Amino acid sequence: MTVVPAQQQQQGRGGGSSGLYDVLELILDRGLVIDAFVRVSSSVSRS
Amino acid sequence: MSTYVYGIARSSHPSLPDKADGIGDPPRPVRVIRQGQLAALVSDAPDNLRPKRRDLLAHQNVLRQAGEAGSVLPLRFGGVSPDDETLAAVLAEREEHYLERLGALDGKVEYNVKASHDEESVLHRVLADDPELRSLAEANRTAGGGTHEQKIQLGERIAAAVQQREARDGDLVRATLEGVCEEASAGPQSVGWLANLSFLVNRERSADFVNAVDALRVEQPHLVLTVTGPLPPYSFVE
């Protein structure tokens, strides 16, 4: 299957992305955690 | 195929972003899994999921879209259920609890505020506030900078005054904005911020909140305040 490059997605929301940097710790460290789930991001260093 | 979960809403949520672009490259479409009175926003989980910028953005965007039309409990990035059935079982088991949280967060959004000092202005501020420190600085200056010892002594006293000011200003930011929010929560402390705070704000009072931050900027020009929001209420789901 041929896939159209999806690069344009990232650039679309300038405001959102500049804000994203300031709230990375919220997305990665806050929010609901469900015990029965695998935590993929925990295996990845944030530093 | 494991199941990536963005958030949990009521099944009566009027506009869940079904088929929206989710995480992955190419983006996996968002699906809705319904169980009792709850609905979960999910995608098929891509292999080797990592917290890359595009995926963090996708996670955030799905939750933002869903949050515009109704209450959603945002999951922390990276929550993957072994399969849809396990997720449905969790929803069934925790239904009452999640419904209670959805009710508590109805119509509310999170604003994150990070505060730091403008170095130059905070220096002026601590000198203006402490006549003794000010005359010490002036005496040193007229003495052509003073001896090495005097310079160090002055430097230490100024550093201590700035540090005190940081603590006071952190409290001030929190106390001021607590008046226009439902709940406040301290974020992780890190170097560079004198305060990292999240506020749960009634969506209808968003303008009041933003105005209160602006007023604080005017009153305390030595404070640099970075506001991000409205956000899904990450800090208030538990």
Side-chain angles (χ1 to χ4, degrees):
Chain A
M1 186 176 84
T2 319
V3 175
V4 180
Q7 295 297 334
Q8 74 274 16
Q9 301 271 41
Q10 308 182 34
Q11 299 304 324
R13 298 185 38 79
S17 53
S18 67
L20 183 76
Y21 179 78
D22 286 316
V23 293
L24 273 184
E25 91 271 12
L26 298 180
I27 303 174
L28 289 167
D29 294 343
R30 297 292 173 92
L32 192 65
V33 172
I34 295 176
D35 294 339
F37 287 9
V38 188
R39 299 242 10 109
V40 282
S41 72
S42 62
S43 63
V44 179
S45 163
R46 286 185 53 208
S47 57
Chain B
M1 172 71 76
S2 53
T3 304
Y4 183 90
V5 187
Y6 302 88
I8 297 169
R10 294 190 193 90
S11 57
S12 60
H13 186 292
S15 166
L16 291 170
D18 199 5
K19 300 190 176 63
D21 283 347
I23 55 165
D25 182 13
R28 308 293 192 274
V30 171
R31 299 185 281 122
V32 178
I33 293 180
R34 291 175 194 276
Q35 167 64 50
Q37 295 182 63
L38 295 173
L41 290 164
V42 307
S43 293
D44 293 346
D47 296 332
N48 301 318
L49 179 65
R50 294 285 179 273
K52 286 192 215 115
R53 187 171 173 281
R54 72 150 55 237
D55 289 332
L56 290 163
L57 262 179
H59 182 88
Q60 173 81 344
N61 277 337
V62 169
L63 288 169
R64 187 184 47 77
Q65 285 177 54
E68 277 167 8
S71 192
V72 178
L73 305 179
L75 258 76
R76 189 176 300 185
F77 179 88
V80 174
S81 175
D83 47 45
D84 287 5
E85 291 70 32
T86 307
L87 172 61
V90 169
L91 293 181
E93 191 193 320
R94 306 276 287 157
E95 183 173 53
E96 200 180 327
H97 173 70
Y98 291 148
L99 286 173
E100 186 276 323
R101 291 318 297 155
L102 284 164
L105 296 174
D106 228 345
K108 301 190 182 92
V109 288
E110 176 167 343
Y111 280 85
N112 180 260
V113 177
K114 291 182 169 63
S116 60
H117 275 152
D118 178 80
E119 263 180 56
E120 185 94 22
S121 356
V122 76
L123 223 52
H124 287 297
R125 186 71 187 242
V126 295
L127 288 175
D129 287 352
D130 186 342
E132 204 187 311
L133 191 58
R134 196 165 61 241
S135 48
L136 191 64
E138 272 157 20
N140 270 22
R141 198 178 311 133
T142 35
T147 64
H148 181 65
E149 206 120 296
Q150 284 171 320
K151 279 185 201 165
I152 289 183
Q153 203 202 1
L154 178 66
E156 279 172 352
R157 289 196 49 179
I158 289 178
V162 168
Q163 209 167 24
Q164 267 181 26
R165 189 84 214 184
E166 283 181 359
R168 260 174 64 191
D169 283 336
D171 292 344
L172 175 74
V173 171
R174 180 166 183 143
T176 305
L177 298 179
E178 265 180 344
V180 277
C181 76
E182 306 296 311
E183 218 178 301
S185 159
Q189 281 193 352
S190 59
V191 183
W193 308 113
L194 63 88
N196 175 15
L197 299 163
S198 276
F199 299 91
L200 186 67
V201 177
N202 217 310
R203 195 186 275 279
E204 286 166 11
R205 292 191 72 196
S206 290
D208 293 345
F209 184 83
V210 173
N211 289 341
V213 175
D214 284 340
L216 201 52
R217 285 190 179 115
V218 174
E219 282 162 29
Q220 311 286 340
H222 63 288
L223 278 181
V224 180
L225 301 172
T226 307
V227 184
T228 316
L231 295 161
Y234 291 107
S235 304
F236 303 94
V237 283
E238 297 292 359

